[in-house]
Amino acid sequence: MRVLGYDHPPGGWFCEPLYAPCSLFRSRDPRAPRLPRDGGLYLKFYGDEGWRFVMDRFPSYRLKHEPLDAYLVGLRARQVAEARRTDEGLRELARRGPDDALCRALWELLDELRAVGDLRLGDFGVFGSILHGFHHPALSDLDLVVYGRRALGEAREALVELYSSDPSFKNEFGPGWSPDRRWPWRSISPSEFAWHQGRKLIYGFFSSREAGRWVKFELEPVRSWGEVRNSYDPSERVRKLGWAILEATVSDASSSPFMPSSYGLEDVCFIEAPVPNPPEPDLALCYVDEFRLQAVEGERILVAGWLEEVEGPRGTRHQVVLTYGPRYHEQVIKVVGPGARCNRPSSPRPGA
């Protein structure tokens, strides 16, 4: 499990399942197997597989979300056997020293980024297989955490320079990218997806001298400690109104890199609505990793997700949420053009 987002009840954490032992879970996805150094076989979850796996089979690993009046995947403090922090994982790798080709490639990549950008070792952490010790030195990717808006901005600027001037770096979603499996998303095409992912800059390859191969890497944006605010409020009540499709202009994308990513909305125009005269949401809240950093201020976006009403001490507001559960692959956030005011008919078609 990894902690999902920053808003949690006292003594517990909402989580995202990442891996399961092969004795409990089977996968036909060729990307799934992970081999720990101490033996055994783990399988990685993709999409909403992990959410469905825990919700269906392990009810003890669920946590009540009071505002939603629903149970989500989560852990109580007494259920946590071990916690692994991504920053401490990187420091442990530094203390231990590079003991295989992938670990040497990790330091090679960090050296390249720090040589170009104003970045410190403390701006980074590691996650994924290299954190848990079941990476394959000759096959695995490098999964890095970058902490905070400042460091993320520096890292992305460094990657702009490296992609453009260093032949040993290339954007994963550059020319020639195509999906390596049956396309799951129903509201965004592979070419649209590649355009969005490519401009995020955080997914790439570099030709590692140490590993002797092109190593895939990812930078996962995480808030720095000073940016973290726990906004969980058990006195709020969230009511799901239903499925909605809308266009809106992004008014605020400052939290779009993080998970959940959020986008302030204005000039909302419904295409499909769950109720007559739908209330206008001022926020898109997204727990789907693929749609982080998807748009910037002033862009016009298409959003498909769940319209919610939130009642709390500060009044009533509305949001559209992309999350685990039904219609997972129908959800989307994508840019459809520069900002513009709504010019669609005032009466959207009702939801299915």
Side-chain angles (χ1 to χ4, degrees), residues 185-308:
W185 299 102
R186 300 182 186 179
S187 303
I188 186 169
S189 69
S191 60
E192 290 174 320
F193 184 84
W195 180 82
H196 285 84
Q197 296 296 89
R199 70 179 192 158
K200 297 174 188 180
L201 305 170
I202 59 176
Y203 309 106
F205 291 90
F206 82 106
S207 181
S208 168
R209 297 181 300 276
E210 296 291 345
R213 63 182 174 97
W214 284 94
V215 177
K216 184 179 175 179
F217 67 86
E218 173 184 347
L219 302 184
E220 169 100 357
V222 170
R223 294 184 188 275
S224 65
W225 284 112
E227 296 170 345
V228 172
R229 300 289 184 273
N230 187 347
S231 300
Y232 182 83
D233 185 350
S235 69
E236 285 188 339
R237 290 296 176 264
V238 178
R239 183 166 67 99
K240 183 177 286 188
L241 301 181
W243 180 255
I245 303 174
L246 56 89
E247 284 189 8
T249 300
V250 177
S251 60
D252 180 6
S254 60
S255 292
S256 70
F258 309 113
M259 192 53 55
S261 54
S262 65
Y263 303 84
L265 304 179
E266 61 187 12
D267 297 329
V268 174
C269 175
F270 280 92
I271 299 169
E272 181 177 317
V275 294
N277 302 313
E280 185 172 308
D282 61 6
L283 185 73
L285 187 65
C286 180
Y287 288 89
V288 180
D289 183 75
E290 284 82 355
F291 303 135
R292 69 161 80 227
L293 279 172
Q294 196 78 341
V296 300
E297 285 91 350
E299 289 182 325
R300 192 77 177 163
I301 58 173
L302 177 74
V303 184
W306 300 95
L307 184 63
E308 294 181 342

Side-chain angles (χ1 to χ4, degrees), residues 46-319:
Y46 288 93
D48 63 346
E49 285 180 335
W51 181 85
R52 289 187 282 108
F53 174 75
V54 174
M55 295 295 284
D56 292 345
R57 297 186 55 186
F58 294 95
S60 62
Y61 297 132
R62 300 184 305 169
L63 196 62
K64 181 71 174 290
H65 191 288
E66 294 291 346
L68 288 171
D69 191 27
Y71 283 88
L72 307 179
V73 176
L75 296 174
R76 297 162 184 84
R78 57 181 167 80
Q79 295 175 301
V80 178
E82 180 183 358
R84 295 175 179 172
R85 282 179 38 170
T86 56
D87 55 344
E88 293 175 351
L90 183 59
R91 288 199 294 269
E92 174 59 21
L93 287 173
R95 185 196 63 80
R96 198 171 66 215
D99 57 359
D100 63 42
L102 190 69
C103 290
R104 291 192 294 272
L106 167 66
W107 298 111
E108 185 182 358
L109 174 60
L110 287 172
D111 286 345
E112 293 281 4
L113 290 171
R114 293 166 66 199
V116 177
D118 181 17
L119 294 160
R120 306 179 299 272
L121 192 60
D123 292 325
F124 295 98
V126 291
F127 71 103
S129 60
I130 198 167
L131 173 64
H132 299 296
F134 46 62
H135 62 279
H136 191 300
L139 299 173
S140 291
D141 307 335
L142 287 174
D143 298 316
L144 290 174
V145 165
V146 57
Y147 291 106
R149 291 185 178 91
R150 184 206 66 81
L152 175 62
E154 287 288 334
R156 293 177 78 194
E157 288 184 14
L159 287 169
V160 167
E161 181 171 339
L162 290 167
Y163 291 150
S164 63
S165 63
D166 189 335
S168 64
F169 277 80
K170 61 183 180 181
N171 192 318
E172 178 186 352
F173 293 93
W177 178 86
S178 62
D180 58 2
R181 64 192 190 283
R182 182 175 178 271
W183 189 244
W185 299 102
R186 300 182 186 179
S187 303
I188 186 169
S189 69
S191 60
E192 290 174 320
F193 184 84
W195 180 82
H196 285 84
Q197 296 296 89
R199 70 179 192 158
K200 297 174 188 180
L201 305 170
I202 59 176
Y203 309 106
F205 291 90
F206 82 106
S207 181
S208 168
R209 297 181 300 276
E210 296 291 345
R213 63 182 174 97
W214 284 94
V215 177
K216 184 179 175 179
F217 67 86
E218 173 184 347
L219 302 184
E220 169 100 357
V222 170
R223 294 184 188 275
S224 65
W225 284 112
E227 296 170 345
V228 172
R229 300 289 184 273
N230 187 347
S231 300
Y232 182 83
D233 185 350
S235 69
E236 285 188 339
R237 290 296 176 264
V238 178
R239 183 166 67 99
K240 183 177 286 188
L241 301 181
W243 180 255
I245 303 174
L246 56 89
E247 284 189 8
T249 300
V250 177
S251 60
D252 180 6
S254 60
S255 292
S256 70
F258 309 113
M259 192 53 55
S261 54
S262 65
Y263 303 84
L265 304 179
E266 61 187 12
D267 297 329
V268 174
C269 175
F270 280 92
I271 299 169
E272 181 177 317
V275 294
N277 302 313
E280 185 172 308
D282 61 6
L283 185 73
L285 187 65
C286 180
Y287 288 89
V288 180
D289 183 75
E290 284 82 355
F291 303 135
R292 69 161 80 227
L293 279 172
Q294 196 78 341
V296 300
E297 285 91 350
E299 289 182 325
R300 192 77 177 163
I301 58 173
L302 177 74
V303 184
W306 300 95
L307 184 63
E308 294 181 342
E309 181 175 84
V310 183
E311 295 182 353
R314 295 184 294 275
T316 300
R317 59 184 178 84
H318 297 88
Q319 61 190 22

